Amino acid sequence: MTATGRVQRLLPGLRQVRTYQRRWLARDLVAGVVLTTLLVPQGMAYAELAGLPAITGLYTSILCLLGYAVFGPSRVLVLGPDSSLGPMIAATILPLVGSGGDAGRAVALASMLALMTGAVLIVAAAGKLGFIADLVSKPTMIGYLNGLALTIVVGQLPKLFGFKVDADALSAECVAFVRGLAGGQAVGAAAAVGLIGVALIVVLRRVLPKVPAVLVMVVLAIAGVSVFGLGERGVELVGVLPQGFPPLTVPHVGLSDVGLLAAGALGIALVSLADTISTASAFAARTGQELDGNREMAGIGVANLAAGLFQGFPVSTSGSRTAVAHQSGAKSQLTGVVGAVLITLMIVLLPGLFRNLPQPALAAVVITAALSLADISGTVRLWRQRKMEFLLAIAAFLGVALLGVLPGIAIAVGLSILNVFRRAWRPYQAILGEVPGLPGYHDIASYPAAHRVPGLVLYRFDAPLFFANAKTFRDEIRKIAAADPPPVWIVVAAEPMTDVDTTAADVLEDLDRELDERGISLVFAELKDPVRGKLDRYELTRTIASGHFFPTTGAAVAAFAAHDGETRVTSPVPGEDPDASRGDAR
């Protein structure tokens, strides 16, 4: 690869500049303007969701857009503050800030969290660990996001109704909210703004999906403050934002904070990566690009580093904002650059533009975003299609709801991994038979009338054979051997057996000796060459005769049928001495 090629691979944005087409310019500019109208209110709302000042959401949006434009491989992917990360950020930094903690410390902790998240993603990209996103299965992610949606909605309800509560856990927040309503703490005007805002966004998204519902609601809410004097009626407003671009700042945190920040960074990196891979996959298919998970990780990592150095917090890919940019005609990352420039101009020249924006309106933005996270139909589908995966989703949901956001993601990952081991530990197993009119051999559970050769059992084990399931395999073979009358050959249709580890090899050796003593032959068919090579290295052919390995199941059946069923022959090769390939008679 040439030096130019290496630079372009390191800086995908440079390659986009070199291949940019002039006819894209108008579309990218328009898409950037449209995107900005969504970035500003959502950025402020998600910052407050994370327990941070609203202005930090705008700082974060600017720097992550610019960072990804240079280092991100996708032409249309849009990064920014995200509703799914907000509660994770809050769960990480708020315990460290403590009750009554100052905003400056919260911002420093969030910025360090962004730097650590970016470092985790870049290191993972260098190690080509993009597959880590697959650790969270779809059912557990559905459950996690359902729990996250409920947590966000409950946490925003007091703000929606114009008052505050002092509670941490979900159940405590529910109780505190109900008590606040019963105690008359709700502000009528604030509740009206919040509830109307939620309804307006939901209705517009369904009836007029191309209309920027959030922008319409925000504009109407600001107008309502001026027309009805909502500020004098107890409705809390955003106020004038700090003016100017944030300076380059290296956040300072204590060593005692690093442990919790590191745990939060790992969880945020995993969720961010999973979101990005799924969103990037969908839009890569639409735009004709190829997805490179490791380069996406690097791009997100740099975006987080950029945000962390300018008083920002961790970011992720936004499916909704990416969809808006794509529908608006975005052709390149120039769309994001335009958004970053417009936000910068706003906070430098017009910091008071959103001073009359009601806080309940921001709560409405967050709540509607949380509702989009929930997947009730997906949960119902799991119940109908696969009860075990439904239970996994419910367990992940309860983990978030009862234990919190960070423990919830740990539970989701743990359940996904345990489900993999469960399937490998107790894989599907089948006895095979020959079905007239169908080539090959098939599960007799599906074809009860399948023909079986007397004295021969065809057995399939649908998993790699390793330490966790070797005894399951052994117990099933023993069960088959205990039939009356016992089989003469047990042929393992081993095509699904992609691996055999040393523990399983020892189990096979003992099992073969045990069957020998009972006059039963253990035979393998369709064993893959790499797996057969491992058996040779394990010296397993000391006990299992080389003549008991067949290239196909049909060849094994033919070899068995070539005998009269009274005298067992160990080798299918005519004229070969049965005792030549092993030291005992079968």
Side-chain angles (χ1 to χ4, degrees):
M1 181 183 295
T2 64
T4 301
R6 285 193 293 270
V7 171
Q8 290 185 10
R9 181 171 180 81
L10 180 64
L11 304 173
L14 179 61
R15 183 173 63 253
Q16 291 192 33
V17 171
R18 292 173 61 89
T19 59
Y20 193 83
Q21 300 180 31
R22 185 175 299 179
R23 58 191 177 88
W24 293 348
L25 181 60
R27 292 185 179 183
D28 280 338
L29 292 175
V30 171
V33 173
V34 174
L35 182 63
T36 305
T37 64
L38 188 62
L39 288 171
V40 172
Q42 284 191 344
M44 292 192 294
Y46 296 160
E48 296 199 346
L49 175 62
L52 299 166
I55 187 64
T56 60
L58 302 184
Y59 295 162
T60 302
S61 298
I62 294 169
L63 273 303
C64 74
L65 288 172
L66 295 177
Y68 188 82
V70 177
F71 288 90
S74 172
R75 288 186 175 275
V76 297
L77 217 57
V78 177
L79 269 64
D82 189 68
S83 59
S84 64
L85 298 188
M88 300 181 72
I89 298 169
T92 303
I93 66 172
L94 292 185
L96 298 175
V97 174
S99 179
D102 65 287
R105 174 164 165 74
V107 171
L109 290 168
S111 296
M112 180 57 72
L113 185 61
L115 293 176
M116 295 174 74
T117 300
V120 168
L121 288 166
I122 291 173
V123 169
K128 301 188 182 301
L129 301 179
F131 67 89
I132 291 177
D134 298 331
L135 290 178
V136 183
S137 66
K138 182 68 177 290
T140 50
M141 182 55 79
I142 287 176
Y144 171 76
L145 291 178
N146 285 343
L148 192 63
L150 179 61
T151 300
I152 293 173
V153 170
V154 171
Q156 292 292 305
L157 283 177
K159 184 177 177 180
L160 192 76
F161 282 78
F163 65 97
K164 297 179 180 179
V165 300
D166 185 13
D168 294 325
L170 179 64
S171 57
E173 288 182 335
C174 289
V175 172
F177 172 67
V178 172
R179 286 178 177 173
L181 286 182
Q185 296 183 37
V187 178
V193 170
L195 293 174
I196 292 174
V198 171
L200 185 62
I201 293 174
V202 171
V203 170
L204 284 178
R205 283 178 174 172
R206 291 190 177 182
V207 178
L208 300 170
K210 293 186 177 181
V211 173
V214 171
L215 178 62
V216 170
M217 187 277 293
V218 166
V219 171
L220 291 178
I222 293 174
V225 170
S226 302
V227 173
F228 300 105
L230 298 180
E232 290 75 35
R233 295 175 180 269
V235 178
E236 187 177 355
L237 306 178
V238 169
V240 178
L241 298 173
Q243 187 175 23
F245 193 80
L248 174 65
T249 305
V250 178
H252 296 284
V253 299
L255 289 176
S256 59
D257 300 330
V258 172
L260 185 56
L261 289 175
L266 290 173
I268 290 170
L270 179 60
V271 172
S272 178
L273 177 60
D275 282 347
T276 299
I277 294 300
S278 60
T279 304
S281 299
F283 284 93
R286 296 183 188 181
T287 59
Q289 286 187 276
E290 292 186 5
L291 174 66
D292 187 330
N294 293 307
R295 292 173 65 197
E296 286 292 354
M297 274 198 296
I300 309 168
V302 172
N304 275 280
L305 291 180
L309 290 173
F310 290 87
Q311 301 179 30
F313 52 85
V315 297
S316 178
T317 302
S318 170
S320 61
R321 291 189 287 270
T322 302
V324 168
H326 182 67
Q327 292 168 2
S328 301
K331 295 297 182 181
S332 74
Q333 285 298 323
L334 180 59
T335 296
V337 173
V338 171
V341 170
L342 290 178
I343 296 173
T344 301
L345 292 175
M346 188 200 78
I347 61 176
V348 171
L349 304 177
L350 300 170
L353 184 62
F354 288 91
R355 64 181 180 276
N356 288 332
L357 176 62
Q359 288 286 357
L362 290 182
V365 173
V366 173
I367 287 175
T368 52
L371 293 177
S372 68
L373 293 176
D375 189 356
I376 305 303
S377 61
T379 307
V380 173
R381 179 174 57 84
L382 291 176
W383 167 257
R384 292 174 177 172
Q385 296 179 351
R386 191 154 184 163
K387 298 295 191 294
M388 178 55 71
E389 296 193 348
F390 169 80
L391 293 176
L392 288 174
I394 295 299
F397 169 80
L398 293 175
V400 177
L402 300 179
L403 300 179
V405 176
L406 291 180
I409 188 62
I411 289 172
V413 173
L415 288 174
S416 297
I417 295 174
L418 285 176
N419 192 36
V420 172
F421 274 99
R422 180 190 66 84
R423 293 179 179 179
W425 173 53
R426 299 289 298 180
Y428 188 77
Q429 305 167 59
I431 302 298
L432 307 179
E434 192 172 9
V435 180
L438 287 179
Y441 299 86
H442 305 275
D443 188 353
I444 64 172
S446 300
Y447 299 92
H451 172 68
R452 298 176 59 189
V453 178
L456 174 69
V457 175
L458 300 178
Y459 168 68
R460 192 181 69 215
F461 188 79
D462 289 350
L465 195 60
F466 65 114
F467 67 92
N469 62 22
K471 291 183 179 179
T472 300
F473 175 86
R474 179 198 63 190
D475 293 344
E476 191 62 28
I477 293 293
R478 284 176 174 174
K479 181 179 177 181
I480 294 171
D484 186 18
V488 179
W489 277 19
I490 299 176
V491 177
V492 180
E495 193 273 337
M497 205 173 284
T498 56
D499 190 20
V500 176
D501 70 3
T502 55
T503 301
D506 291 341
V507 170
L508 285 177
E509 184 174 358
D510 294 340
L511 180 61
D512 186 64
R513 286 199 178 100
E514 178 183 324
L515 294 176
D516 282 349
E517 294 173 358
R518 300 168 62 177
I520 301 174
S521 294
L522 183 63
V523 178
F524 291 86
E526 301 182 0
L527 199 63
K528 291 179 170 59
D529 289 342
V531 181
R532 174 64 188 275
K534 291 180 180 180
L535 298 187
D536 290 337
R537 289 199 301 275
Y538 302 153
E539 299 182 348
L540 199 58
T541 50
R542 291 178 306 171
T543 55
I544 302 179
S546 60
H548 280 184
F549 292 92
F550 293 90
T552 66
T553 302
V557 173
F560 180 80
H563 304 85
D564 59 8
E566 295 179 0
T567 303
R568 192 141 17 107
V569 178
T570 59
S571 172
V573 181
E576 182 180 19
D577 183 358
D579 294 336
S581 58
R582 59 177 296 131
D584 57 353
R586 293 214 164 194

